[in-house]
Amino acid sequence: MNWLAWKMLTGDRAKYFGIVFGVAFGSLLIAQQSSIFVGLMRRTSSQILDVTEADVWVMDQRQQNVDEIRPMPDNRLYQVRGVEGVAWAVRLYKGLVRIRTDDGQFRQAILVGVDDSTFVGAPRQMKQGEHADLRRPDGIVVDEAGYRVLFPGQPVELGRTLDMNDRRAVVVGICDVTPPFQTFPVIYTRYSQATQFIPRERNTLSFILAKAEPGVDKDELSARIRHQTSLQAMSWDDFFWFNIRYYLENTGIPVNFGITVTLGFIVGAAIAGQTFYLFTLENLKQFGSLKAMGVDNLRLVGMILFQAMAVGLMGFGIGIGMAAGFFEAMEISGQADLRGMFVPWQVIAMTAAAVGMIVVVASLLSLRRVLVLEPAVVFK
Amino acid sequence: MSALDQPATASNVVTGSAVVCRGVTKEFGSGDSVVRALRGIDVDVEFGELTLLVGPSGCGKTTLISIIAGLLDPTEGEVEMLGQDRRNLTGRKLVQFRAENIGFVFQQYNLLPSLTAAENVAVPLLVRGQERLPSIQKAVEMLDAVGLGDRANSMPSQLSGGQQQRVAIARSLVNQPRLLVCDEPTAALDAKSGRNVMGLLRDVALSSNRAVIVVTHDNRVYDFGDRIVSMSDGRVECVEERPSNPHS
Ligand SMILES: Nc1ncnc2c1ncn2[C@@H]1O[C@H](COP(=O)(O)OP(=O)(O)OP(=O)(O)O)[C@@H](O)[C@H]1O
Ligand SMILES: [Mg+2]
């Protein structure tokens, strides 16, 4: 019977492609827009994602995200180090700097100052140079995409210089980073060096990164740090979500993408659902004659669900494939706006659920018509 | 022996009439808008005969054969189909009874446009759960019997109306049903194709001891009937038997 269902479905090529196209287009819209949304949200936390050595992030009580820094006095570091269960704790500077390149252009960049001796927080993927090169006077490591922004059209090589706060900096390393939310270059340097690249401020300590002693639970340690220092402390993944939640709640991004994703759903549902429904209606007589020939309702339901599943699977596959291909093409073409974005499995699952809903609703609508069909209609 | 006259299997052998209707009425709707399509029908359909059901439009011919074919429930009255009391056939039992014993031929052929002629003919076998390839093989034999052996792989759209109707007849016969019901099978055909199709149906009825009942408007084909049941306004007006049918 599935063979028959398949033949009926694919008999009219144009309609069949129409249905599959509808599902595919809907899937593409849903998957692609959700992926960009997820990608952007991840980007807001890219600097958190890129620091993997520490268990706990410690920051000022009032700080709400990873970008708007409220610096702490330096002595906080020693308070944190004094908390029981802390294996080590180091300083991290993060802020925006103004850069003047050799050709006199001004650019904004994200400056990250990592611990002078351990380099905790330094980029994991070095493409040229190594962490130890940060010890060299005025040494900085620049991310490759940022390098291209700072030195457009020039070969990616070490030794180039730029100015921050009227101080010369020398590129001693090139790295890869998770692309940040604002597509600024990311510059790494030692903490003590970073304080010289920025205008003098009373406090410069942005974050304290702490490691739990073996056997100490990081959530428990965070709670203990909060208690003893009246600072804000949370585990790496809590901070990741804390930061994302901030952006979800305080920007228009979710609403904008929510609208597009919903539109994708509606367009997909409208095209696929409608075509499928009309397809069944047009075949009502065929279903009627099958009924007369002794196909019972249960098997008709089976046939229609089979048809719905077939177009659903096919459209979904094509849609997800196109979404993945889109990001792949963006990656290859070096599109900085979408660099590092992909279709996460959660989005695939969500798209599958949406497509499932579309085809089930479409087939339920059609089913109703087929089930109440009197087999005697075949003589009409 | 051609594929048309397969002997009935032992379990199917029934003596007496193929269909017996007594006092059959059918009402559609209720209250003020009730339509009394059948107002007390007594009719017998015999094996080995082609019964024609004739009468003006709206007199209830389609309603009557729908009841005879087990597609509609009568409002009142008794129907015996192939020796079975209609009242005992309900739900799945009725569906299965239809699948095994009754073949259908429609005015509009109702072939599935995306299947070849042979695949269309095989549908009733597939519906009964038989394997695809042997079913199609059987279907090709049946097409041969209706004179379309060489068009087995044609799509319905590539066939003339008369050819499509012959495919539909092959389809209705592939299960070797004991009762064949046809609603206006020649209405969409020219005179020659119409006679061709009626001749085929008559051969089916005579050579294999089946009962064939054909609803028709078409007086050009009356002489194919062994028995002509004339209806008017939901009643049987007269039954004309033609034992010395020129076509037999
Ligand atoms: N499902 C239905 N609901 C309501 N009325 C119906 C229904 N089916 C048939 N009728 C009515 O019953 C009467 C008999 O209809 P039927 O289709 O049996 O006539 P017919 O003899 O086949 O006519 P024709 O030669 O035009 O096909 C008509 O008045 C028709 O309107
Ligand atoms: Mg009729």
Side-chain angles (χ1 to χ4, degrees), chain A residues 41-61:
Chain A
M41 282 297 127
R42 261 175 77 88
R43 281 183 177 190
T44 64
S45 289
S46 59
Q47 266 100 54
I48 304 171
L49 283 173
D50 280 351
V51 178
T52 49
E53 304 100 314
D55 295 325
V56 176
W57 285 67
V58 185
M59 66 209 86
D60 186 272
Q61 195 62 256

Side-chain angles (χ1 to χ4, degrees), chain A residues 241-258:
Chain A
W241 288 112
F242 176 79
N243 188 57
I244 284 186
R245 207 171 313 129
Y246 173 85
Y247 278 91
L248 282 177
E249 286 167 6
N250 293 283
T251 65
I253 303 171
V255 176
N256 284 327
F257 280 87

Side-chain angles (χ1 to χ4, degrees), chain A residues 1 3-4 7-8 10-12 285-286 289-296 298-299 374-376 378-380, chain B residues 62 65-66 71-72 92 95 98-99 104-106 110-115 119 123-124 126-127 132 171 183:
Chain A
M1 291 315 280
W3 172 80
L4 200 56
K7 282 288 211 172
M8 280 175 79
T10 54
D12 188 334
K285 194 121 193 211
Q286 320 287 2
S289 54
L290 288 176
K291 256 187 163 175
M293 284 186 251
V295 180
D296 59 15
L298 200 67
R299 284 209 284 174
E374 285 276 351
V378 292
F379 286 141
K380 291 282 174 254
Chain B
T62 298
I65 60 156
S66 298
L71 294 173
L72 268 187
R92 291 187 79 112
V95 172
R98 272 204 313 262
F104 296 90
V105 178
F106 315 106
N110 284 5
L111 299 177
L112 293 167
S114 49
L115 303 188
E119 288 168 344
V123 165
L126 300 174
V127 165
R132 183 145 51 94
R171 175 177 66 179
D183 196 5

Side-chain angles (χ1 to χ4, degrees), chain A residues 27 48 54 113 153 171 181 211 244 281 302 312 345 374:
Chain A
S27 313
I48 304 171
V171 176
F181 184 57
K211 179 81 176 174
I244 284 186
L281 285 199
W345 68 262
E374 285 276 351

Side-chain angles (χ1 to χ4, degrees), chain A residues 51-320:
Chain A
V51 178
T52 49
E53 304 100 314
D55 295 325
V56 176
W57 285 67
V58 185
M59 66 209 86
D60 186 272
Q61 195 62 256
R62 292 159 300 172
Q63 191 151 326
Q64 297 185 58
N65 55 54
V66 74
D67 294 316
E68 291 163 286
I69 308 288
R70 293 174 176 275
M72 302 172 278
D74 274 346
N75 68 356
R76 296 291 193 230
L77 176 65
Y78 307 105
Q79 287 182 0
V80 172
R81 283 181 178 162
V83 173
E84 201 190 316
V86 172
W88 50 252
V90 296
R91 298 178 292 189
L92 185 79
Y93 173 83
K94 181 179 174 296
L96 285 179
V97 284
R98 215 156 73 110
I99 290 174
R100 195 162 60 85
T101 50
D102 281 351
D103 58 2
Q105 299 274 1
F106 284 99
R107 299 261 180 215
Q108 287 263 62
I110 296 166
L111 181 65
V112 179
V114 302
D115 183 56
D116 282 55
S117 51
T118 61
F119 301 131
V120 168
R124 277 166 299 158
Q125 291 176 355
M126 296 295 295
K127 304 197 89 170
Q128 290 185 36
E130 52 188 82
H131 287 171
D133 293 325
L134 283 174
R135 294 218 168 83
R136 286 158 56 184
D138 304 327
I140 58 170
V141 171
V142 183
D143 80 292
E144 191 174 355
Y147 185 99
R148 292 184 202 282
V149 173
L150 294 171
F151 308 104
Q154 303 192 37
V156 180
E157 56 187 21
L158 303 181
R160 232 171 258 285
T161 60
L162 42 76
D163 262 34
M164 284 184 280
N165 193 28
D166 290 330
R167 210 188 150 94
R168 254 181 127 53
V170 185
V171 176
V172 297
I174 306 288
C175 66
D176 244 357
V177 296
T178 306
F181 184 57
Q182 303 129 312
T183 43
F184 292 151
V186 184
I187 296 176
Y188 289 91
T189 185
R190 281 173 291 120
Y191 186 91
S192 57
Q193 186 84 64
T195 55
Q196 294 169 354
F197 286 140
I198 53 173
R200 273 204 77 77
E201 285 177 48
R202 196 155 55 91
N203 297 322
T204 47
L205 181 54
S206 317
F207 295 100
I208 299 164
L209 302 175
K211 179 81 176 174
E213 277 175 352
V216 176
D217 179 67
K218 47 191 178 151
D219 293 321
E220 219 176 284
L221 184 63
S222 306
R224 216 178 290 161
I225 294 172
R226 279 198 297 273
H227 233 84
Q228 293 184 22
T229 63
S230 73
L231 292 169
Q232 199 173 189
M234 54 193 114
S235 68
W236 180 82
D237 34 341
D238 279 354
F239 187 38
F240 175 79
W241 288 112
F242 176 79
N243 188 57
I244 284 186
R245 207 171 313 129
Y246 173 85
Y247 278 91
L248 282 177
E249 286 167 6
N250 293 283
T251 65
I253 303 171
V255 176
N256 284 327
F257 280 87
I259 290 171
T260 328
V261 170
T262 312
L263 275 181
F265 184 79
I266 292 173
V267 169
I271 302 183
Q274 237 213 138
T275 336
F276 190 73
Y277 180 61
L278 289 179
F279 165 80
T280 316
L281 285 199
E282 277 165 28
N283 280 309
L284 221 47
K285 194 121 193 211
Q286 320 287 2
F287 285 118
S289 54
L290 288 176
K291 256 187 163 175
M293 284 186 251
V295 180
D296 59 15
N297 274 340
L298 200 67
R299 284 209 284 174
L300 285 181
V301 172
M303 283 176 71
I304 290 181
L305 285 183
F306 175 84
Q307 292 175 337
M309 246 172 52
V311 288
L313 269 178
M314 206 155 309
F316 169 73
I318 294 173
I320 291 286

Side-chain angles (χ1 to χ4, degrees), chain A residues 380, chain B residues 28 35 37 56-63 184 217:
Chain A
K380 291 282 174 254
Chain B
F28 292 106
V35 178
S57 183
C59 71
K61 305 180 296 292
T62 298
T63 307
E184 316 246 9
H217 257 125

